[in-house]
Amino acid sequence: MSTGPGAHSAPGPDTTDPLTAPHDRTTRKSSMFSSLKIRNYRLFFMGQVVSNIGTWMQRIAQDWLVLSLTGSATAVGVTTALQFLPMLLFGLYGGVLVDRLPKRPALLVTQTSMAVTGLALALLTITGHVEVWHVYVAAFAVGLATVVDNPARQSFVSEMVGPGQLQNAVSLNSANFQSARLIGPAVAGLLITGVGTGWAFLFNGLSFIAPITGLLLMRARELHAVERAPRSKGQLREGLRYVAGRPDLIWPIILVGFVGTFAFNFPVYLSAFADDVFHAGAGAYSLFNTLMAVGSVTGALIAARRGRARLRVLSTAAVVFGALEIVTALTPALWIFALMMIPLGIFGMTVNVTANTNIQMSTDPAMRGRVMSLYMMVFLGGSPVGAPIVGWITDTYGARVGLATGGAIAALAAVVIGLILARVGGLRLAVGWHRGHPRVRFVPREEGEPERVAVAA
């Protein structure tokens, strides 16, 4: 199998147009659930349904347990930081391992280790022996497993479904996770108030039986074989050089970094609006998150129907997402602000799914683990890095200024990166009128034509 760009399992980008080739009228939109027709992916998806609910339950139970043990919000923040720290420190090395290892056995190991962690925390909590350092260790252990689990799961999707169904499968994965976000916290709340925190941990530990069973039941012969990278020195540097030499990879990752760092810090923004702007308390904060999850599920399902992940869709969605945050920051009433969470969720998920799919499909299979680990490190690591910055802006100048600033940075980054990708692809911006309406689009630059913005009638 070819391991260069353009291998069949990961079609290379159209280098004539990093914002993607002109719209192909022969490309049909896929069925919203078309990838579920593939048996291996169906097993994977069903396992993730159960596991994702358990994951959201553990997140709620973990924070509540730390708060009840210490009475300190700072301790809750430390727990979250410990869970993200391994990805920031070792994420790129995890990608190197994923490129060397067979994905399914690697996932069996990581999923089993996270199950053991959840069960151990459940045992300690139910028996009354849990201490806060136990939770810290468990959070860090889950973070270490995630270093390999995240890029392995991302890369394994393409092996299950192939390039033709990749965007659909990635979109359904996102819808799966966001749907669990609607169910998991509610179930966790019932368990915590009814029988105790430890039972939420127990459910999470047992929930891993579903994905582990799905992995064991898969048919190896139906997977799309990918040549693994042989063990050699310098593979981490090789991966970074590979991304740096590919504008269609490096610029979307940079864009996701800006969006994740400044625009996706919703725990900071939404809690400030609920408490300081609308004075509505925890109930409003929960409502905001629920409506955003509804929008995220909707955005993921819309993306599942889209036939192809295009960089121009990514750039446009990021601009709209940033602009929506600015508009939302100016809304005067709580109910309008709450309703704005739905379109924010839709366009935020569009940015996430489009970037994820395009990067996977544009990457050499032998490099996919390293590239996806870099993508996940930038995307997941951006929020903890940006939280103190946007938190300071919000505390100093108010929640409205904080949210508007995050949106403005995201929109500006999307415009600049979109123009860079257009220039690399030999395109120019054409502004004109079409059937009485203004139209802005990228068109191929003619040979020898100077760089400019064309104005057409």
Side-chain angles (χ1 to χ4, degrees), residues 85-144:
L85 186 62
M87 179 61 73
L88 291 174
L89 294 177
F90 312 117
L92 293 176
Y93 295 98
V96 172
L97 282 175
V98 168
D99 281 337
R100 293 175 181 172
L101 299 171
K103 307 299 185 297
R104 188 161 62 134
L107 286 171
L108 284 169
V109 172
T110 58
Q111 296 283 294
T112 301
S113 65
M114 287 190 278
V116 170
T117 302
L119 293 173
L121 203 53
L123 179 63
L124 288 168
T125 307
I126 292 172
T127 59
H129 293 91
V130 69
E131 298 180 22
V132 69
W133 70 268
H134 293 143
V135 187
Y136 288 162
V137 171
F140 190 76
V142 170
L144 282 176

Side-chain angles (χ1 to χ4, degrees), residues 52-391:
N52 284 335
I53 292 174
T55 296
W56 279 107
M57 290 176 64
Q58 174 137 336
R59 287 188 181 186
I60 300 300
Q62 178 177 276
D63 291 348
W64 185 259
L65 177 61
V66 171
L67 191 62
S68 63
L69 289 172
T70 65
S72 168
T74 300
V76 177
V78 169
T79 308
T80 302
L82 285 171
Q83 194 155 330
F84 280 102
L85 186 62
M87 179 61 73
L88 291 174
L89 294 177
F90 312 117
L92 293 176
Y93 295 98
V96 172
L97 282 175
V98 168
D99 281 337
R100 293 175 181 172
L101 299 171
K103 307 299 185 297
R104 188 161 62 134
L107 286 171
L108 284 169
V109 172
T110 58
Q111 296 283 294
T112 301
S113 65
M114 287 190 278
V116 170
T117 302
L119 293 173
L121 203 53
L123 179 63
L124 288 168
T125 307
I126 292 172
T127 59
H129 293 91
V130 69
E131 298 180 22
V132 69
W133 70 268
H134 293 143
V135 187
Y136 288 162
V137 171
F140 190 76
V142 170
L144 282 176
T146 303
V147 167
V148 174
D149 187 79
N150 245 330
R153 276 191 296 110
Q154 298 286 336
S155 303
F156 190 51
V157 172
S158 64
E159 294 187 24
M160 288 184 287
V161 303
Q165 294 289 345
L166 182 58
Q167 171 152 338
N168 183 266
V170 170
S171 302
L172 290 182
N173 283 350
S174 299
N176 187 333
F177 187 75
Q178 294 299 328
S179 298
R181 180 180 174 185
L182 295 172
I183 301 170
V187 177
L190 291 174
L191 283 177
I192 291 170
T193 56
V195 293
T197 307
W199 296 95
F201 294 133
L202 180 62
F203 182 96
N204 179 55
L206 295 176
S207 74
F208 285 97
I209 294 174
I212 291 171
T213 302
L215 289 167
L216 292 172
L217 291 175
M218 287 182 185
R219 297 169 182 163
R221 66 181 181 276
E222 295 178 7
L223 295 174
H224 294 252
V226 172
E227 183 177 340
R228 297 198 302 273
R231 182 183 180 90
S232 63
K233 292 183 179 180
Q235 287 180 310
L236 178 56
R237 292 191 300 272
E238 181 186 9
L240 293 175
R241 284 195 302 268
Y242 176 81
V243 173
R246 293 282 302 276
D248 58 315
L249 295 179
I250 186 64
W251 289 113
I253 290 175
I254 291 174
L255 175 56
V256 165
F258 274 103
V259 173
T261 301
F262 297 102
F264 262 94
N265 266 293
F266 288 111
V268 176
Y269 298 137
L270 300 187
S271 60
F273 268 89
D275 190 38
D276 301 331
V277 177
F278 298 118
H279 309 290
Y285 180 65
S286 176
L287 175 64
F288 297 157
N289 279 282
T290 299
L291 291 175
M292 181 163 288
V294 170
S296 298
V297 173
T298 303
L301 293 176
I302 292 172
R305 288 184 58 83
R306 195 175 297 122
R308 180 177 177 183
R310 299 175 183 274
L311 288 180
R312 68 182 175 201
V313 173
L314 172 62
S315 301
T316 303
V319 171
V320 174
F321 179 65
L324 281 171
E325 287 202 341
I326 297 173
V327 173
T328 302
L330 302 176
T331 54
L334 185 150
W335 69 270
I336 301 176
F337 184 89
L339 289 178
M340 288 299 293
M341 295 300 103
I342 296 175
L344 277 173
I346 291 173
F347 282 94
M349 186 55 61
T350 300
V351 172
N352 185 3
V353 170
T354 306
N356 187 312
T357 309
N358 193 279
I359 289 169
Q360 286 206 56
M361 294 188 69
S362 300
T363 301
D364 180 342
M367 289 283 186
R368 192 170 287 143
R370 280 164 282 184
V371 173
M372 291 311 297
S373 68
L374 177 62
Y375 168 79
M376 296 305 297
M377 186 178 73
V378 170
F379 184 67
L380 294 178
S383 292
V385 171
I389 300 173
V390 301

Side-chain angles (χ1 to χ4, degrees), residues 23-56:
H23 181 66
D24 181 0
R25 296 184 185 275
T26 63
T27 300
R28 296 181 179 178
K29 291 183 179 180
S30 62
S31 166
M32 186 175 289
F33 302 102
S34 57
S35 56
L36 290 176
K37 297 175 184 177
I38 301 170
R39 180 182 182 274
N40 283 344
Y41 179 71
R42 189 164 61 249
L43 289 168
F44 177 84
F45 183 88
M46 292 170 64
Q48 291 301 308
V49 168
V50 180
S51 180
N52 284 335
I53 292 174
T55 296
W56 279 107

Side-chain angles (χ1 to χ4, degrees), residues 251 255 315 319 409-423:
W251 289 113
L255 175 56
S315 301
V319 171
I409 292 173
L412 179 61
V415 170
V416 171
I417 290 172
L419 292 173
I420 290 172
L421 288 169
R423 180 181 178 184

Side-chain angles (χ1 to χ4, degrees), residues 6-19:
H8 290 299
S9 57
D14 181 353
T15 56
T16 64
D17 182 2
L19 288 173

